[in-house]
Amino acid sequence: GCIVTQREVGLDTDSFEVALKNTLRQAPDVIMIGEIRYIELASAAIEAALTGHGVWTTLHASSAFGIIPRLREMGVPLEDLYEDNVLNGLIYQRLVPVLCPRCKRPLELSSLQPQLGNRLEKLFNAAELAQIHTKGDGCEHCSGMGLTGLRVAAEVVPVTTMLLSILKKGSLRDAQMYWLNEMHGMTHVAHARSLVLAGEVDPALAEERLGVTLDFDLEWREVA
């Protein structure tokens, strides 16, 4: 079995840094930090990782690799971030709404905004377009919403020895391209496209929730 303890941090309790240092004295196997928002907590989390503790935490970023410049903005030195066993994985996720399986509608390109329709025709062939669905009017199954919940569109980057060596050379873009091409990585946009192709997510709602177009990462790779 395992033992889980939770420590409250607030105005009337220890600071995050003090609470984390006190937690380390208990020799935990894994430490979960709600969110890193400033340099002191980031440094404490790195120190915990360097002493052999597993650390899970979150922060606001625009992509998995965007986590690195986000930490740099806080003041974390790259030499600390790129120490062995500090970065084991980078995960980014967005939530997209799931279509009701009972009232969703087959895609009709004529009902979409022309720009979105053109994008879909470039992204998918005729057989694939026939698999795509859009939001229906709602039914008893979905309480009239046309949607039945949320799905994660994510990108997961395992930080391997080779990837870390590329990062240490100072090229974030090269590391991204290595992840995509050599490690067969999938961006959160590509993940969202797969959900659209599976008929689970409305393409218009996907772009709305992602904040970018469904061909965004393809354009990025062309520029790279």
Side-chain angles (χ1 to χ4, degrees), residues 17 36-47 70-77 80:
E17 304 93 288
I36 291 179
R37 287 175 286 184
Y38 47 89
I39 180 61
E40 291 81 7
L41 185 54
S43 298
I46 290 174
E47 180 182 350
R70 182 74 182 90
L71 288 169
R72 288 189 63 187
E73 289 174 4
M74 294 182 191
V76 176
D80 291 347

Side-chain angles (χ1 to χ4, degrees), residues 26-104:
Q26 301 175 29
D29 295 317
V30 178
I31 300 170
M32 301 185 70
I33 303 170
E35 181 184 351
I36 291 179
R37 287 175 286 184
Y38 47 89
I39 180 61
E40 291 81 7
L41 185 54
S43 298
I46 290 174
E47 180 182 350
L50 286 172
T51 54
H53 299 85
V55 180
W56 288 78
T57 187
T58 66
L59 63 123
H60 291 284
S62 58
S63 66
F65 281 96
I67 293 171
I68 293 173
R70 182 74 182 90
L71 288 169
R72 288 189 63 187
E73 289 174 4
M74 294 182 191
V76 176
L78 284 182
E79 56 267 27
D80 291 347
L81 195 58
Y82 293 159
E83 282 279 353
D84 292 339
N85 298 322
V86 170
L87 286 180
N88 287 307
L90 305 169
I91 301 173
Y92 177 77
Q93 63 181 35
R94 298 294 293 264
L95 295 175
V96 291
V98 177
L99 293 171
C100 173
R102 297 189 183 180
C103 65
K104 64 182 181 181

Side-chain angles (χ1 to χ4, degrees), residues 180 187 189-190 193 213-222:
L180 285 170
T187 68
V189 179
R193 278 199 303 272
T213 58
L214 286 170
D215 59 0
F216 173 78
D217 58 331
L218 301 181
E219 293 178 350
W220 175 83
R221 290 180 70 162
E222 290 173 0

Side-chain angles (χ1 to χ4, degrees), residues 120-131:
L120 295 179
E121 287 185 305
K122 292 179 181 178
L123 287 169
F124 305 105
N125 59 40
E128 291 172 334
L129 288 172
Q131 301 176 49

